[in-house]
Amino acid sequence: MADNTYDAIVVGSGISGGWAAKELTEKGLKVLMLERGRNIEHVKDYVNANKAAWEFPHRGLRPTQQMLKDYPVLQRDYPLNEIVLDYWAKDKDCPYTETKPFAWFRGYHVGGRSLTWGRQSYRFNKWDFEANAKDGFGVDWPIRYNDIAPWYSYAEKFAGVQGSREGVEALPDGEFLPAMEMNIVEKDVAARLKQHYKGSRHMFIGRSANITEPKPEQKRTNCQYRNRCWRGCPYGAYFSTQSATLPAAMATGNLTLRPFSIVTKVLYDKDTKKATGVEVLDAETNKTYEYKSKIVFLNASAFNSTWVLMNSATDVWSEGLGSSSGELGHNVMDHHFRCGAGGTMEGYEDKYFYGYRPTGIYVPRFRNIYDDKRDYVRGFGYQGAGSRSGWGNEVAELSIGGDFKDALSEPGKWSMGITGFGEMLPYHENKISLDKNTKDKWGLPVLNMDVEIKENEKKMRKDMMEDAKEMLEAAGVKNVYTFDSGYQVGMGIHEMGTARMGRDPKTSVLNGHNQVWDAKNVFVTDGACMTSASCVNPSLTYMALTARAADFAVSELKKGNL
Amino acid sequence: MDRRELLKLVTLATGGVLIGGQMFLSGCKNDPKLGGVDFSAEDISFLDEVGETILPKTKTPGAKDAQVGEFMKVMVNDCYDAEDQKTFHEGIKALNEACEKMHKTGFMEASPEQRQSLLISLDKEAKEYQKKKNDFDGEQKKKEKEEKEKGNKDFKKERMQSHYFTMFKQLTITGFFTSKIGATEALRYMPVPGKYDGAFPYKKGDKAWAATG
């Protein structure tokens, strides 16, 4: 387009950026989508999708010493793996500093972490949107469940979420594709839990954005039960930017996608109090460009959207656009997890499984709702699975030889395990800020992380373990053990907060339509906007909020209000 | 058997987590070092034979068919740190010496029965050693936690080397079951199942599924 001018600019191409691009282009806007990393083309660029273990030099088992050197952050948890190495940002190129330890796992390429996400798709419940107002942590959400419910439906229908309707208030039902099946052990555990807790605790199939009915209009076919999702799916069976939102946006003819485009700031006009566009640093040529637009959607991932704001309009506000509230960069949240329980299930020797299911089971929150009252606020849910081990029972006793090999070659006992995912409160003092003394590969200042979990989360973790043990034992699981593998903030890969929505410009960065209070044509609809975290995986909420904000933005634009 | 399960299996069968490329939540004294000691062709054949004694050919192929020696070389050179590499290479010599001591012959010249009795004894030795190592590591972890609470950020854990036989055994198991021949003949390999059945009939003797994810 002439003069680098568009109707709208979308910064970032992950889950929320893809949705912003789709919604805005479908409503007729000419949109420029900027992505800081390289392009990854659907199917064609999923180079490892069909490889067998023996086609990887280290069989995907362990990172190399070179990988450990290059990825000091990613090595802190499972994501550092040769199979998906190209789907993670290079720690070396984009460092950050840690006042307190923070694990930041990033995907800098078209599609972002929509390629590698866990696909778990849950609605927040009505209590989640009231929690801050009720217990006083954080500020009140400017919206309620009913405001977002139709947008959840809208997002689910397009993305394709499989799941079962359960009528559980703590985890509202949605527009589901036929549910994947629980295996025989999970079904029995679920039935026993229901009986033992008299219908007050539930376990059912994990709702996930994997399609179980084809979507020919999106050229997507059913899940093939390979459970290789994070390599990129050649069938387009799970929701990603590439499989779903990007082709829809492209089909309108209204989208321009520019990879290798690091947005360094939102261009802000003091007189109109609006953004006029963005400044881009070309990641390959290091040249700077300006792009103009009527509206800007920031979807660069929670911390990077905030980073862009911090670098914008600094002549007006020294701490950046949206900082007038004093909350920009504050109230960082994640989900704390990595603790729970597991055990073995006797019997079922004549049953095995066929296929690799790309989701597990889910137990919705049951703490601090209805009459339940704990010594902490909020709650947690469980994710887990029943499975049959891939080796025989006597492996630990056997030494070497033919019998040993045979024992290793046959399945053994069934087991059942669950891991808690807990809500983290929005604490003002948990913050990110610009560290101007450290620069990335492009000479840009980096972020400093100063975030920790506190007493509320620590108390909750005890319940996450003990309740798991009690429930598994009640369900007939034997040899139950509890675990806490240690949690570092960020490991949930659910960064939230830093530019929260609210009702008051004095205490929040965004209003109820995700507009920056200080620049009404700038919208932030990724994890940065979150006012509280709930305990459920957040991506579906980003999708719904993005579609809702895009709808609002276009109607405001038409009314001449932006 | 997915990758995570395979890692669990290795832990179960050897008492220790798979060595190499360890991901630490906090630092360890040993910085990652690059480059490896050379493996000779003799080393590779030697490791193939050790692997074959651990997982021999029966009705299904054995470790040698899966070229585990070559796999060990790649894993040790790329994923082991310098100290583990040293332990591994010295282990080749140590195993041979143990064979001389037990059977008055080198491992390559030893009969299948001699090899077997040697490795059974080394396996016992390695498992006992690993128990001590687990205790030691546990103590260090505790100490690290205490030091951190005291505010000593510079504390680095001390380390007890792994037993070489643990290394051989771990790499034999992982190398075999992730190889083409191991995954498709000793296990059942199913890259595109197309459906899910959570109550699939099973009878004793049916093989486990091979790793996919």
Side-chain angles (χ1 to χ4, degrees):
Chain A
M1 195 176 275
D3 307 325
N4 288 353
T5 300
Y6 296 82
D7 294 325
I9 289 171
V10 174
V11 182
S13 64
I15 285 183
S16 68
W19 268 93
K22 165 182 144 34
E23 294 302 306
L24 297 171
T25 54
E26 286 181 344
K27 289 173 194 296
L29 268 55
K30 294 284 178 194
V31 176
L32 172 67
M33 182 155 78
L34 296 166
E35 164 53 50
R36 63 173 294 153
R38 71 185 173 114
N39 193 13
I40 292 180
E41 271 189 55
H42 189 39
V43 185
K44 179 178 153 272
D45 289 338
Y46 304 152
V47 293
N48 288 336
N50 290 319
K51 282 188 188 162
W54 54 87
E55 294 176 76
F56 299 98
H58 314 94
R59 316 267 168 96
L61 291 168
R62 278 285 181 252
T64 63
Q65 294 293 319
Q66 184 66 51
M67 282 160 70
L68 293 176
K69 271 197 151 174
D70 292 347
Y71 294 87
V73 176
L74 207 56
Q75 64 171 279
R76 295 178 197 176
D77 205 4
Y78 70 90
L80 182 61
N81 190 301
E82 62 188 334
I83 296 173
V84 291
L85 196 59
D86 291 345
Y87 293 166
W88 297 105
K90 290 194 172 60
D91 290 337
K92 252 185 168 173
D93 292 348
C94 3
Y96 60 92
T97 57
E98 297 164 271
T99 299
K100 299 190 180 92
F102 192 101
W104 196 20
F105 304 149
R106 298 158 287 174
Y108 288 169
H109 48 254
V110 171
R113 291 178 295 190
S114 80
L115 285 175
T116 47
W117 72 308
R119 308 164 305 284
Q120 295 293 302
S121 301
Y122 302 104
R123 294 183 175 205
F124 278 33
N125 62 38
K126 62 178 182 187
W127 302 306
D128 289 325
F129 291 99
E130 296 162 0
N132 285 6
K134 215 169 152 190
D135 59 35
F137 290 95
V139 295
D140 191 17
W141 277 90
I143 57 169
R144 288 293 178 258
Y145 179 74
N146 286 341
D147 296 309
I148 196 175
W151 296 103
Y152 273 136
S153 294
Y154 180 76
E156 286 156 350
K157 277 187 208 157
F158 179 81
V161 176
Q162 66 75 29
S164 53
R165 297 183 67 84
E166 300 287 342
V168 175
E169 226 177 351
L171 198 77
D173 290 333
E175 312 285 336
F176 298 138
L177 298 173
M180 288 181 176
E181 193 195 1
M182 287 199 286
N183 62 42
I184 189 160
V185 162
E186 293 164 342
K187 277 181 188 166
D188 282 359
V189 168
R192 287 176 199 168
L193 286 178
K194 194 172 180 180
Q195 198 184 16
H196 183 87
Y197 293 99
K198 301 184 174 61
S200 66
R201 294 190 194 180
H202 309 267
M203 183 180 124
F204 43 82
I205 194 75
R207 296 164 180 173
S208 70
N210 295 87
I211 59 173
T212 51
E213 264 174 8
K215 283 184 167 289
E217 75 284 5
Q218 294 181 10
K219 297 197 177 95
R220 299 174 59 195
T221 44
N222 275 0
C223 175
Q224 299 297 306
Y225 297 94
R226 300 164 8 117
N227 196 18
R228 286 177 171 176
C229 310
W230 74 338
R231 303 180 184 191
C233 182
Y235 306 89
Y238 72 90
F239 172 90
S240 65
T241 295
Q242 276 85 345
S243 73
T245 48
L246 184 59
M250 282 297 185
T252 64
N254 290 331
L255 184 73
T256 306
L257 168 62
R258 191 186 195 283
F260 295 116
S261 304
I262 304 173
V263 172
T264 48
K265 63 176 70 155
V266 171
L267 302 168
Y268 179 78
D269 181 341
K270 292 194 256 220
D271 300 327
T272 60
K273 296 190 172 122
K274 287 196 293 190
T276 57
V278 300
E279 184 186 272
V280 166
L281 176 69
D282 188 299
E284 288 185 304
T285 64
N286 283 320
K287 281 190 184 142
T288 301
Y289 300 88
E290 283 189 1
Y291 290 93
K292 301 289 169 119
S293 64
K294 293 171 195 155
I295 54 175
V296 174
F297 265 69
L298 290 180
N299 301 93
S301 79
F303 293 175
N304 282 319
S305 288
T306 291
W307 180 91
V308 171
L309 289 173
M310 285 172 169
N311 285 297
S312 306
T314 47
D315 52 335
V316 185
W317 301 277
S318 62
E319 306 298 311
L321 183 60
S323 66
S324 62
S325 60
E327 295 297 335
L328 186 67
H330 292 266
N331 312 296
V332 172
M333 295 167 285
D334 183 32
H335 288 125
H336 63 97
F337 69 123
R338 288 165 62 96
C339 63
T344 53
M345 210 54 184
E346 314 269 313
Y348 308 94
E349 281 96 359
D350 61 341
K351 292 289 187 286
Y352 200 18
F353 57 83
Y354 180 90
Y356 307 96
R357 202 184 52 195
T359 187
I361 55 85
Y362 195 81
V363 176
R365 173 179 163 189
F366 50 83
R367 285 302 184 197
N368 290 322
I369 56 172
Y370 303 119
D371 294 333
D372 188 73
K373 188 86 189 76
R374 308 299 294 170
D375 62 349
Y376 55 86
V377 298
R378 319 282 172 106
F380 54 89
Y382 287 112
Q383 296 181 29
S387 66
R388 189 168 183 180
S389 78
W391 61 86
N393 301 330
E394 325 81 9
V395 166
E397 289 78 49
L398 283 168
S399 171
I400 56 151
D403 292 346
F404 178 58
K405 193 183 77 179
D406 289 345
L408 296 183
S409 305
E410 286 178 21
K413 273 191 175 21
W414 283 87
S415 65
M416 180 78 214
I418 53 177
T419 301
F421 283 73
E423 176 161 0
M424 181 173 165
L425 292 173
Y427 302 105
H428 174 82
E429 56 275 27
N430 273 344
K431 66 174 196 295
I432 58 169
S433 55
L434 281 187
D435 181 346
K436 291 181 181 164
N437 297 319
T438 310
K439 300 280 164 71
D440 69 8
K441 185 184 167 187
W442 297 272
L444 300 165
V446 307
L447 284 172
N448 172 269
M449 316 296 189
D450 188 358
V451 185
E452 64 183 0
I453 56 168
K454 298 180 192 285
E455 281 315 301
N456 198 68
E457 290 77 23
K458 286 175 189 164
K459 282 182 190 160
M460 190 189 293
R461 290 178 78 75
K462 287 200 184 111
D463 262 11
M464 284 156 72
M465 276 200 292
E466 293 310 316
D467 288 350
K469 180 167 184 263
E470 182 198 292
M471 286 166 70
L472 292 183
E473 280 172 348
V477 180
K478 306 285 183 219
N479 309 311
V480 176
Y481 60 89
T482 57
F483 65 90
D484 184 341
S485 323
Y487 163 74
Q488 191 174 94
V489 191
M491 280 181 164
I493 326 186
H494 294 165
E495 310 97 70
M496 287 173 276
T498 67
R500 71 180 173 199
M501 295 167 75
R503 295 173 184 271
D504 183 348
K506 290 195 196 75
T507 57
S508 58
V509 178
L510 310 172
N511 70 11
H513 287 104
N514 299 74
Q515 286 172 289
V516 176
W517 289 109
D518 293 331
K520 63 183 178 181
N521 63 342
V522 178
F523 295 79
V524 183
T525 69
D526 59 18
C529 77
M530 301 297 277
T531 312
S532 73
S534 174
C535 63
V536 300
N537 306 54
S539 298
L540 184 70
T541 299
Y542 306 161
M543 297 187 205
L545 285 174
T546 303
R548 180 175 174 271
D551 184 64
F552 175 81
V554 174
S555 84
E556 286 293 287
L557 200 57
K558 283 189 184 146
K559 287 182 205 154
N561 292 342
L562 292 181
Chain B
M1 192 188 319
D2 67 17
R3 204 171 46 252
R4 239 182 249 198
E5 266 200 78
L6 186 61
L7 296 176
K8 258 195 255 172
L9 162 62
V10 165
T11 309
L12 208 59
T14 65
V17 296
L18 181 63
I19 299 156
Q22 250 62 22
M23 291 166 262
F24 292 103
L25 261 177
S26 52
C28 182
K29 262 188 178 165
N30 312 85
D31 282 333
K33 283 192 189 92
L34 304 180
V37 187
D38 277 349
F39 281 76
S40 65
E42 287 74 30
D43 290 339
I44 304 292
S45 333
F46 180 89
L47 293 168
D48 273 341
E49 295 302 329
V50 171
E52 185 68 17
T53 312
I54 296 170
L55 298 179
K57 185 176 191 139
T58 53
K59 277 176 284 178
T60 55
K64 210 160 114 179
D65 297 317
Q67 296 176 301
V68 292
E70 198 58 45
F71 172 73
M72 288 192 214
K73 172 180 137 179
V74 174
M75 291 299 285
V76 169
N77 279 348
D78 295 352
C79 303
Y80 276 27
D81 64 22
E83 282 185 46
D84 283 334
Q85 290 188 7
K86 195 163 160 255
T87 304
F88 188 93
H89 282 280
E90 286 171 358
I92 296 176
K93 249 184 277 163
L95 189 143
N96 211 32
E97 280 161 16
C99 195
E100 296 269 5
K101 203 169 156 197
M102 185 183 264
H103 299 302
K104 315 279 175 270
T105 170
F107 185 77
M108 292 305 273
E109 296 74 38
S111 70
E113 292 73 24
Q114 286 174 323
R115 289 176 179 185
Q116 215 176 356
S117 62
L118 172 74
L119 294 205
I120 287 171
S121 119
L122 285 179
D123 185 65
K124 201 167 160 244
E125 178 187 315
K127 276 178 179 160
E128 276 161 18
Y129 179 93
Q130 184 64 39
K131 270 187 206 147
K132 281 185 208 145
K133 177 170 158 55
N134 289 346
D135 289 344
F136 182 88
D137 291 347
E139 284 297 314
Q140 286 293 313
K141 216 174 158 183
K142 219 174 104 191
K143 209 168 160 190
E144 181 187 48
K145 206 182 156 201
E146 286 165 7
E147 290 293 323
K148 275 210 170 141
E149 274 160 15
K150 276 191 239 162
N152 178 5
K153 277 184 190 164
D154 299 325
F155 179 81
K156 297 279 183 197
K157 282 183 287 194
E158 277 184 44
R159 133 170 182 176
M160 184 168 155
Q161 272 307 105
S162 298
H163 194 288
Y164 66 87
F165 187 74
T166 304
M167 296 174 163
F168 295 165
K169 191 173 177 181
Q170 289 187 339
L171 292 175
T172 298
I173 294 170
T174 51
F176 178 70
F177 286 108
T178 57
S179 71
K180 186 172 187 181
I181 205 162
T184 57
E185 293 184 38
L187 300 171
R188 288 185 280 179
Y189 181 66
M190 183 180 51
V192 189
K195 62 168 188 173
Y196 180 76
D197 181 352
F200 189 65
Y202 180 82
K203 58 177 195 317
K204 181 74 190 149
D206 290 347
K207 303 292 180 206
W209 303 119
T212 172

